[in-house]
Amino acid sequence: MQSRHPASRTGRPRSAAADTAILAATRQALVDLGWSKLTLSDVAVRAGVAKTTLYRRWAGKNELVVDAVAELFDELTLPDRGSLAADIEGVVLQFAAILARPEARSGLMAVVAEATRDEALRERIRASIVDRQKRLVIAGRTRAQERGELPPETDAERSARAVDLIFDMVAGSVVHRTLVSNQPADEEWVHGLTRVLLSGLAASAR
Amino acid sequence: MQSRHPASRTGRPRSAAADTAILAATRQALVDLGWSKLTLSDVAVRAGVAKTTLYRRWAGKNELVVDAVAELFDELTLPDRGSLAADIEGVVLQFAAILARPEARSGLMAVVAEATRDEALRERIRASIVDRQKRLVIAGRTRAQERGELPPETDAERSARAVDLIFDMVAGSVVHRTLVSNQPADEEWVHGLTRVLLSGLAASAR
Amino acid sequence: MQSRHPASRTGRPRSAAADTAILAATRQALVDLGWSKLTLSDVAVRAGVAKTTLYRRWAGKNELVVDAVAELFDELTLPDRGSLAADIEGVVLQFAAILARPEARSGLMAVVAEATRDEALRERIRASIVDRQKRLVIAGRTRAQERGELPPETDAERSARAVDLIFDMVAGSVVHRTLVSNQPADEEWVHGLTRVLLSGLAASAR
Amino acid sequence: MQSRHPASRTGRPRSAAADTAILAATRQALVDLGWSKLTLSDVAVRAGVAKTTLYRRWAGKNELVVDAVAELFDELTLPDRGSLAADIEGVVLQFAAILARPEARSGLMAVVAEATRDEALRERIRASIVDRQKRLVIAGRTRAQERGELPPETDAERSARAVDLIFDMVAGSVVHRTLVSNQPADEEWVHGLTRVLLSGLAASAR
DNA sequence: GTATAAACGAGACGGTACGTCCAGTCTTGGA
DNA sequence: TCCAAGACTGGACGTACCGTCTCGTTTATAC
């Protein structure tokens, strides 16, 4: 990830270690306290950093938590498992594994809730978290087209709509299963989801 | 809905009007301020009620907001539109319309986020909000079976799993579309969702 | 002294004990820390009172310190020592004794310094502290006139000017001796001051 | 005035202009903000100087303000006005004129207040400000003795006591008049003060 | 004329207090 | 017994300065 903060030519440079410590402390505080009881004072203490340092780098709790949670999703990959269904199952399982971690559970829904009233925050979430996952969807589809599992897409607009729908269905289903229904998104469940999704897309494309 | 609070034998009875006023004030505060900036003091002022009265009836902000939001979902119905697909589209559109209202957008995600760390709250949400919708899924399936669109279900456990999956897919997709992707769940989108879902279920059931 | 704060018809009444505790804590903090290092947070802790309680009753540090110091001067009296010179010496020694106490030393000069830029504070000091002492000057002169040590005053304006001059000379000399020159205003010094003052006034009146 | 800071053999020498700019900026900040709201950061900005430079030269706010205010008193002189009374009136009026300036009003009392708890600061004030004025008292008395207005002093200890008393009475009265009573120390008032003082000293010396 | 040593500007750092706000409790008088 | 009002303790908020520190840069003298 490129540097989060603009460089300054002069003056004492910002401590890079502080960023790391703050984000780690934020995640740990999410685990220990949850979003609503997390305070920036507490994060500062945990990170061994002054409160001012924290406010110098982030505008507030929401921005901080977005960045802290976003790092969790950096580990998502799309290994080639040989088929579209297997690829999807693989990445969904990874996604579910992240959502099962308490720092993600507590933080993600809360910032999404906050974002319902804050366009800038919504944009930050989309940029930091959502769009990165959408690239996985696109990559998966491309790979499937190369394999011949999906026909090459010609209609760009229609293609974009399909990606959006798939993305909302996959991410939404997993999030709802994990965070609302509070059930594990295990292999069996993911397998069912994938089957319904792929069958439906295939049938609906005809 | 049955009375929220246990009756007391003696003394001045609680004002029923206060409950109504408080919940309405809560929803309005959600619209004006969002969940995180909503304060019980403010709700008390809006409702023309003392803070004491409010604390006498609800344990805290989360419980109050759950009750206030839950009332929004009482209006969901499942009118017979003649086909399973049409029935689903109808109820999903109703659901999406509720989620488009700011008092629901702000409140619902926030309490779900809070619930990730609070079993009692999770239970309250499930009881007050989620299970009521799940009955719509079951009713829709039953009606479709009566129409012959779906085969009668024989395996109870498998049936429950299917209902859960459908429910997570429908609710999750709509929530994600509305609150995360921040796009309207309009007729066209709902139509696409329904088609993929039903095709997929039909294909996957074979 | 009349009540410092306006009464409210309704709601929980303010704790009278808190006022006492806060003013005593303020004086102790002046002793321990001095004016510039005295913080309202610290006073609140010492008084066993929440910071909000303190801010509810005083506008800020200056107002609080003025009230805390003013109470010190309530104990000034003008016992009849038989002659004008003895009366003056008596009250000046009392005044010097108060100024020798660290809570007065630290606080009084500091609020006077602050008052150079704050008309309201200046008025509060004059009302709470200065005018009370001026009455001692007037009482002393009246008693001396009754004794025949001073001629009855006929010219009101001239009289006022004389009182002001005496007051500035007495108070100013003692304060300067005590706080700037940092020497004790002991009996010998006060005796010298009184002799110069009375001789001068007598000679100058001719 | 001798150099405030020790010279260093090697390296870049300290900017002399910076000292001047800092002290002037301090006085202006005293005028604009008063002592308690004056911050060293602000002074640094006003002086066009980095905070480091300021801290390299002064230990803190008190020391800086003492030096800034002390410069104001360099302009006090004792021109020969022909008589002791006239000489005293002249210097007292000069003194009062300085005290009427806001940078002196705000700063002087505040550092005196601070000095009640700081022996080193007290000494710095005495050395930088007070003793310089005391020399005026001594010079005036010497001149009066040469004129024959005062008898030659023989008893050294008694003489010192008298100087101290006069000094405290003059300086204290003017300061109290100006800063506490908040009245102008104009010619009329100074005339009255001088008459009482000289008559009293003459009578008391007999 | 080039090293070198200190001062310089800029600004981040860990702290501390600010004055405000809200949570949740308690105390009054009145319905 | 409930109610409205409002004071209570407690604690986080986000801001402002403190006095220190770490940079890269400038500037006189000493070699």
Side-chain angles (χ1 to χ4, degrees):
Chain A
M1 197 184 297
Q2 79 286 3
S3 176
R4 212 183 314 276
H5 315 295
S8 165
R9 206 63 28 219
T10 167
R12 176 171 172 176
R14 288 190 175 167
S15 157
D19 262 50
T20 309
I22 291 169
L23 290 173
T26 304
R27 282 187 291 269
Q28 191 55 47
L30 282 173
V31 173
D32 295 347
L33 307 170
W35 184 85
S36 68
K37 291 199 162 32
L38 176 152
T39 72
L40 295 203
S41 308
D42 182 84
V43 170
V45 170
R46 286 169 188 263
V49 141
K51 218 174 18 152
T52 28
T53 298
L54 217 153
Y55 278 105
R56 211 174 282 122
R57 304 182 185 205
W58 284 275
K61 182 163 150 173
N62 290 329
E63 288 75 12
L64 175 60
V65 170
V66 170
D67 283 3
V69 171
E71 287 194 344
L72 293 174
F73 291 94
D74 285 351
E75 64 193 50
L76 279 179
T77 59
L78 185 62
D80 190 336
R81 294 182 159 207
S83 76
L84 176 57
D87 282 3
I88 291 179
E89 286 187 28
V91 75
V92 167
L93 279 170
Q94 285 181 58
F95 183 52
I98 293 173
L99 286 184
R101 287 156 68 175
E103 59 269 40
R105 294 169 66 91
S106 297
L108 187 58
M109 294 298 278
V111 293
V112 168
E114 288 295 292
T116 59
R117 303 188 41 81
D118 181 344
E119 173 54 30
L121 184 59
R122 205 148 51 218
E123 191 44 50
R124 190 180 191 114
I125 293 174
R126 188 154 29 247
S128 301
I129 305 183
V130 177
D131 284 346
R132 182 168 300 115
Q133 298 168 68
K134 198 170 283 186
R135 281 187 231 111
L136 296 174
V137 177
I138 295 169
R141 194 186 49 175
T142 305
R143 188 180 293 165
Q145 289 171 334
E146 290 166 357
R147 285 197 200 101
E149 292 175 293
L150 288 179
E153 196 60 69
T154 50
D155 182 342
E157 190 193 338
R158 188 191 149 108
S159 160
R161 276 210 309 277
V163 168
D164 284 351
L165 178 58
I166 294 166
F167 184 69
D168 285 328
M169 288 185 76
V170 170
S173 299
V174 173
V175 169
H176 200 274
R177 168 80 174 177
T178 310
L179 303 187
V180 181
S181 298
N182 201 35
Q183 299 294 324
D186 52 21
E187 284 206 38
E188 183 189 351
W189 184 87
V190 169
H191 185 66
L193 168 68
T194 310
R195 201 160 48 152
V196 169
L197 195 64
L198 289 181
S199 309
L201 285 169
S204 139
R206 275 192 295 273
Chain B
M1 195 185 298
Q2 79 287 5
S3 175
R4 214 183 312 275
H5 315 294
S8 161
R9 287 302 136 225
T10 168
R12 176 171 168 178
R14 287 188 176 166
S15 157
D19 264 49
T20 309
I22 290 168
L23 291 173
T26 302
R27 281 188 292 269
Q28 190 55 47
L30 281 172
V31 173
D32 295 347
L33 307 170
W35 182 84
S36 68
K37 293 198 164 21
L38 175 151
T39 71
L40 295 203
S41 308
D42 182 84
V43 169
V45 170
R46 284 170 189 262
V49 139
K51 244 191 330 172
T52 336
T53 301
L54 216 151
Y55 277 104
R56 216 174 277 123
R57 302 180 186 207
W58 283 275
K61 181 162 148 173
N62 288 329
E63 288 75 11
L64 175 61
V65 170
V66 170
D67 283 3
V69 171
E71 288 193 344
L72 294 173
F73 291 94
D74 286 351
E75 63 193 51
L76 278 179
T77 60
L78 184 63
D80 190 335
R81 295 182 158 207
S83 77
L84 175 58
D87 281 3
I88 290 178
E89 287 187 28
V91 75
V92 167
L93 280 170
Q94 284 181 59
F95 182 53
I98 292 173
L99 284 186
R101 287 156 68 175
E103 60 268 40
R105 292 168 69 88
S106 297
L108 186 58
M109 294 297 277
V111 293
V112 168
E114 287 296 292
T116 58
R117 302 187 42 82
D118 182 343
E119 174 56 37
L121 183 60
R122 204 149 52 219
E123 193 44 51
R124 190 180 191 116
I125 293 173
R126 188 156 28 247
S128 302
I129 304 181
V130 177
D131 283 347
R132 183 168 301 118
Q133 298 168 68
K134 198 170 282 185
R135 282 186 231 111
L136 295 174
V137 177
I138 296 169
R141 194 187 50 177
T142 305
R143 190 180 294 166
Q145 290 172 334
E146 290 165 359
R147 286 198 199 99
E149 292 176 291
L150 288 180
E153 195 61 67
T154 50
D155 181 344
E157 189 192 339
R158 188 189 151 110
S159 161
R161 274 210 310 277
V163 168
D164 284 350
L165 177 59
I166 294 166
F167 182 69
D168 285 328
M169 287 186 77
V170 170
S173 298
V174 173
V175 168
H176 200 274
R177 168 80 173 178
T178 309
L179 302 187
V180 181
S181 298
N182 199 36
Q183 300 292 324
D186 52 20
E187 284 204 39
E188 183 189 351
W189 184 87
V190 170
H191 186 67
L193 170 68
T194 312
R195 200 160 49 151
V196 170
L197 195 64
L198 291 182
S199 310
L201 285 169
S204 138
R206 278 192 297 273
Chain C
M1 196 184 299
Q2 79 286 4
S3 175
R4 211 184 313 277
H5 315 295
S8 164
R9 209 59 31 217
T10 166
R12 177 173 171 176
R14 288 190 175 168
S15 157
D19 262 51
T20 309
I22 290 169
L23 291 172
T26 303
R27 282 188 291 270
Q28 191 55 48
L30 282 172
V31 173
D32 295 347
L33 307 170
W35 183 83
S36 67
K37 291 198 165 24
L38 175 151
T39 71
L40 296 203
S41 309
D42 182 83
V43 169
V45 170
R46 285 169 189 263
V49 141
K51 221 172 16 150
T52 24
T53 298
L54 217 152
Y55 279 103
R56 208 176 285 120
R57 303 181 185 206
W58 283 277
K61 181 162 148 174
N62 289 328
E63 289 74 11
L64 174 61
V65 170
V66 170
D67 283 3
V69 171
E71 286 193 345
L72 294 174
F73 291 95
D74 285 350
E75 63 193 51
L76 278 179
T77 59
L78 186 61
D80 190 336
R81 294 182 159 206
S83 76
L84 176 57
D87 282 3
I88 290 178
E89 288 188 27
V91 75
V92 168
L93 280 169
Q94 285 181 58
F95 183 53
I98 292 172
L99 285 184
R101 287 155 68 176
E103 60 269 41
R105 294 169 67 88
S106 297
L108 187 57
M109 295 296 278
V111 293
V112 169
E114 288 295 293
T116 59
R117 301 188 41 82
D118 182 344
E119 172 54 31
L121 183 59
R122 204 149 52 221
E123 193 43 53
R124 190 180 191 115
I125 292 173
R126 190 159 22 253
S128 301
I129 305 182
V130 178
D131 283 346
R132 181 168 301 118
Q133 299 167 66
K134 198 170 282 185
R135 279 185 233 113
L136 296 175
V137 177
I138 295 169
R141 196 186 48 175
T142 305
R143 190 180 294 167
Q145 288 171 337
E146 289 167 357
R147 285 197 201 99
E149 291 176 292
L150 288 180
E153 198 57 69
T154 51
D155 182 342
E157 192 192 338
R158 188 190 148 108
S159 160
R161 275 210 308 277
V163 167
D164 283 351
L165 178 59
I166 295 166
F167 183 69
D168 284 329
M169 288 185 76
V170 170
S173 299
V174 174
V175 168
H176 200 274
R177 169 78 172 178
T178 310
L179 302 188
V180 182
S181 298
N182 200 36
Q183 299 293 324
D186 52 21
E187 284 205 40
E188 183 188 351
W189 184 88
V190 170
H191 186 66
L193 169 67
T194 312
R195 199 159 50 149
V196 170
L197 196 64
L198 290 182
S199 310
L201 286 169
S204 138
R206 279 193 295 271
Chain D
M1 194 184 298
Q2 79 288 1
S3 175
R4 212 184 312 276
H5 316 295
S8 160
R9 285 304 133 223
T10 172
R12 177 173 172 176
R14 287 189 176 165
S15 158
D19 263 49
T20 310
I22 290 169
L23 291 172
T26 303
R27 282 188 291 270
Q28 191 55 47
L30 282 172
V31 173
D32 295 348
L33 308 170
W35 183 84
S36 68
K37 292 197 164 27
L38 176 150
T39 72
L40 295 204
S41 308
D42 182 83
V43 169
V45 170
R46 285 170 188 262
V49 139
K51 233 184 351 164
T52 338
T53 301
L54 217 152
Y55 277 104
R56 216 174 275 124
R57 303 181 186 206
W58 283 276
K61 181 162 149 174
N62 289 328
E63 289 74 14
L64 175 60
V65 170
V66 170
D67 283 3
V69 171
E71 288 194 343
L72 294 173
F73 291 94
D74 285 351
E75 64 192 51
L76 278 179
T77 60
L78 186 61
D80 190 335
R81 295 183 159 205
S83 76
L84 176 58
D87 282 4
I88 290 178
E89 288 189 26
V91 75
V92 168
L93 280 169
Q94 285 182 58
F95 183 53
I98 293 173
L99 285 184
R101 288 157 67 176
E103 59 269 40
R105 294 169 67 89
S106 297
L108 188 58
M109 295 297 279
V111 291
V112 169
E114 287 295 292
T116 58
R117 303 186 42 80
D118 182 345
E119 173 54 30
L121 183 59
R122 205 148 53 218
E123 193 44 51
R124 189 178 192 119
I125 293 173
R126 188 155 29 249
S128 301
I129 305 181
V130 177
D131 284 347
R132 182 168 300 114
Q133 299 168 67
K134 199 170 282 184
R135 282 186 230 112
L136 295 174
V137 177
I138 295 169
R141 196 186 47 177
T142 305
R143 189 180 292 166
Q145 289 172 335
E146 290 166 358
R147 287 197 198 99
E149 290 176 294
L150 287 181
E153 196 59 66
T154 50
D155 182 343
E157 191 194 339
R158 188 190 150 107
S159 161
R161 277 210 307 277
V163 168
D164 283 351
L165 177 59
I166 294 166
F167 183 70
D168 283 329
M169 288 185 76
V170 170
S173 299
V174 173
V175 168
H176 199 275
R177 169 79 174 178
T178 310
L179 302 188
V180 181
S181 297
N182 201 38
Q183 299 293 322
D186 53 21
E187 284 204 37
E188 183 189 352
W189 184 86
V190 170
H191 186 66
L193 169 67
T194 312
R195 200 158 50 151
V196 169
L197 196 63
L198 290 182
S199 310
L201 285 169
S204 141
R206 277 191 297 270

